[in-house]
Amino acid sequence: MQTAKFIPYTGVTYPPEETQERSKEYYEYMDRRRSIREYSDRPVDKKIIEQIIMTASSAPSGAHKQPWTFCAISDPAIKSAIREAAEKEEYESYNGRMSEEWLEALRPFGTDWKKPFLEIAPWLIIVFKKAYDLEEGKKSKNYYVNESVGIACGFLLSAIHNAGLVSLTHTPSPMNFLQKILNRPENERAFLLIPVGYPKEGVQVPAIDRKEKEEVIVYY
Ligand code: IYR
């Protein structure tokens, strides 16, 4: 049986004014993040990707199981294989699998089945969730897997934005081709595909607003 062992907390606290200022600045900084669908082919150093991923992996998780694997892909041949397979699925989705209501909801974003960013972005990070761990053939259960991996992806997106890079939360559907192309073990399921890089020069983004505080916060 394991026993609990505790160490001192090393996080920082700030005086109230500085707390006000920091929370405001962080909000304003994060509010400038946008999903980007057109990328430059400008390279991004592997060390940067590693630091971003380790930020994601610092996220809280059920029973601290960290039930995730981040596959970081820069190999052009693998990116091409992913693009080909993703576009095949997306073509089917846009031409019959998605409902008219869904297609209508996506119209403001101008998306279609073509996904050139999968080859152009210097990195694709594919996040896999692990419903259970597999070590030396032995299964052990993970907890709150979707919540944990979702939070880690949030950390990932904010780390990418903080580094001055851009990303997209892409969900080709179904995503099982990723498990095959990347030869992932049976306990891993693709969760999100996130291209990372610099935006294409002059890129435009959909003109959308975010909800006002009154629409998203209820105080009691
Ligand atoms: N997976 C498709 C469709 C799509 C679905 C949602 I919900 C979006 O917010 C955006 C796109 C695609 O990536 O085009």
Side-chain angles (χ1 to χ4, degrees):
M1 202 177 70
Q2 293 197 53
T3 53
K5 180 173 175 259
F6 285 74
I7 54 170
Y9 171 61
T10 57
V12 187
T13 57
Y14 304 96
E17 257 176 42
E18 203 177 336
T19 306
Q20 288 281 357
E21 190 52 31
R22 291 179 69 94
S23 60
K24 180 169 182 282
E25 280 192 356
Y26 193 64
Y27 160 53
E28 287 169 359
Y29 187 71
M30 288 303 288
D31 198 34
R32 292 178 68 176
R33 186 204 56 77
R34 293 299 307 262
S35 291
I36 296 295
R37 292 185 166 82
E38 293 174 279
Y39 287 75
S40 154
D41 60 3
R42 182 176 162 194
V44 172
D45 195 273
K46 186 177 176 183
K47 187 78 195 162
I48 296 169
I49 296 302
E50 188 172 297
Q51 281 153 181
I52 285 166
I53 292 175
M54 290 313 287
T55 302
S57 195
S58 76
S61 59
H64 187 52
K65 295 288 188 179
Q66 299 183 266
W68 45 63
T69 301
F70 298 87
C71 295
I73 298 144
S74 62
D75 181 327
I78 300 176
K79 289 197 293 183
S80 296
I82 290 172
R83 177 181 178 183
E84 194 182 323
E87 286 187 335
K88 208 177 268 174
E89 294 295 356
E90 293 291 88
Y91 183 86
E92 292 304 323
S93 296
Y94 278 89
N95 293 281
R97 283 203 295 231
M98 287 153 81
S99 66
E100 200 38 55
E101 185 182 0
W102 192 351
L103 292 170
E104 187 57 34
L106 290 181
R107 224 143 265 153
F109 308 98
T111 59
D112 61 24
W113 61 270
K114 297 187 212 95
K115 305 295 172 192
F117 59 78
L118 293 173
E119 284 183 297
I120 298 169
W123 290 93
L124 305 178
I125 298 178
I126 306 190
V127 186
F128 285 85
K129 65 175 182 181
K130 296 165 146 182
Y132 53 93
D133 276 326
L134 246 192
E135 269 154 39
E136 290 157 18
K138 266 189 64 185
K139 283 187 186 184
S140 67
K141 208 179 142 31
N142 290 329
Y143 306 93
Y144 296 100
V145 170
N146 287 317
E147 291 84 347
S148 302
V149 182
I151 295 166
C153 287
F155 275 41
L156 187 71
L157 299 188
S158 62
I160 292 166
H161 181 62
N162 181 62
L165 300 170
V166 297
S167 66
L168 173 71
T169 42
H170 180 43
T171 50
S173 173
M175 279 201 279
N176 41 9
F177 67 88
L178 293 168
Q179 200 182 359
K180 287 195 200 108
I181 291 174
L182 300 173
N183 200 20
R184 300 311 305 161
E186 63 172 58
N187 61 325
E188 294 188 9
R189 294 279 176 275
F191 186 80
L192 271 184
L193 191 171
I194 302 173
V196 184
Y198 290 93
K200 189 178 108 180
E201 208 176 312
V203 74
Q204 298 216 327
V205 294
I208 50 165
D209 294 319
R210 290 185 166 129
K211 290 183 178 175
E212 298 295 330
K213 57 178 181 278
E214 293 76 12
E215 296 175 272
V216 297
I217 310 177
V218 183
Y219 291 104
Y220 292 91

mmCIF file of all heavy atoms in Angstrom, residues 133-139:
data_model
loop_
_atom_site.group_PDB
_atom_site.id
_atom_site.type_symbol
_atom_site.label_atom_id
_atom_site.label_comp_id
_atom_site.label_asym_id
_atom_site.label_seq_id
_atom_site.Cartn_x
_atom_site.Cartn_y
_atom_site.Cartn_z
ATOM 1 N N ASP A 133 -3.755 2.495 -18.283
ATOM 2 C CA ASP A 133 -2.316 2.383 -18.542
ATOM 3 C C ASP A 133 -1.982 0.940 -18.826
ATOM 4 O O ASP A 133 -2.632 0.018 -18.327
ATOM 5 C CB ASP A 133 -1.507 2.888 -17.337
ATOM 6 C CG ASP A 133 -1.343 4.399 -17.363
ATOM 7 O OD1 ASP A 133 -1.242 4.962 -18.475
ATOM 8 O OD2 ASP A 133 -1.324 5.015 -16.278
ATOM 9 N N LEU A 134 -0.981 0.765 -19.650
ATOM 10 C CA LEU A 134 -0.529 -0.581 -20.027
ATOM 11 C C LEU A 134 0.962 -0.645 -19.763
ATOM 12 O O LEU A 134 1.750 -0.038 -20.491
ATOM 13 C CB LEU A 134 -0.753 -0.790 -21.522
ATOM 14 C CG LEU A 134 -1.746 -1.806 -22.036
ATOM 15 C CD1 LEU A 134 -1.570 -2.027 -23.518
ATOM 16 C CD2 LEU A 134 -1.730 -3.108 -21.261
ATOM 17 N N GLU A 135 1.349 -1.306 -18.688
ATOM 18 C CA GLU A 135 2.785 -1.451 -18.426
ATOM 19 C C GLU A 135 3.117 -2.920 -18.277
ATOM 20 O O GLU A 135 2.561 -3.610 -17.434
ATOM 21 C CB GLU A 135 3.197 -0.650 -17.187
ATOM 22 C CG GLU A 135 3.628 0.769 -17.565
ATOM 23 C CD GLU A 135 3.433 1.767 -16.441
ATOM 24 O OE1 GLU A 135 3.682 1.393 -15.281
ATOM 25 O OE2 GLU A 135 3.010 2.895 -16.735
ATOM 26 N N GLU A 136 4.037 -3.346 -19.146
ATOM 27 C CA GLU A 136 4.417 -4.763 -19.215
ATOM 28 C C GLU A 136 3.176 -5.654 -19.286
ATOM 29 O O GLU A 136 3.063 -6.654 -18.566
ATOM 30 C CB GLU A 136 5.314 -5.133 -18.024
ATOM 31 C CG GLU A 136 6.699 -4.491 -18.123
ATOM 32 C CD GLU A 136 7.399 -4.360 -16.779
ATOM 33 O OE1 GLU A 136 6.982 -5.053 -15.833
ATOM 34 O OE2 GLU A 136 8.331 -3.552 -16.693
ATOM 35 N N GLY A 137 2.236 -5.228 -20.143
ATOM 36 C CA GLY A 137 1.045 -6.043 -20.378
ATOM 37 C C GLY A 137 0.000 -5.954 -19.281
ATOM 38 O O GLY A 137 -1.072 -6.549 -19.400
ATOM 39 N N LYS A 138 0.314 -5.218 -18.184
ATOM 40 C CA LYS A 138 -0.653 -5.111 -17.076
ATOM 41 C C LYS A 138 -1.478 -3.844 -17.213
ATOM 42 O O LYS A 138 -0.948 -2.761 -17.426
ATOM 43 C CB LYS A 138 0.086 -5.104 -15.720
ATOM 44 C CG LYS A 138 0.187 -6.505 -15.128
ATOM 45 C CD LYS A 138 0.710 -6.477 -13.699
ATOM 46 C CE LYS A 138 -0.226 -5.750 -12.735
ATOM 47 N NZ LYS A 138 0.354 -5.626 -11.380
ATOM 48 N N LYS A 139 -2.797 -3.996 -17.059
ATOM 49 C CA LYS A 139 -3.703 -2.851 -17.190
ATOM 50 C C LYS A 139 -3.919 -2.209 -15.833
ATOM 51 O O LYS A 139 -4.144 -2.904 -14.845
ATOM 52 C CB LYS A 139 -5.076 -3.327 -17.693
ATOM 53 C CG LYS A 139 -5.127 -3.646 -19.175
ATOM 54 C CD LYS A 139 -6.578 -3.929 -19.573
ATOM 55 C CE LYS A 139 -6.653 -4.397 -21.013
ATOM 56 N NZ LYS A 139 -8.030 -4.582 -21.477
#
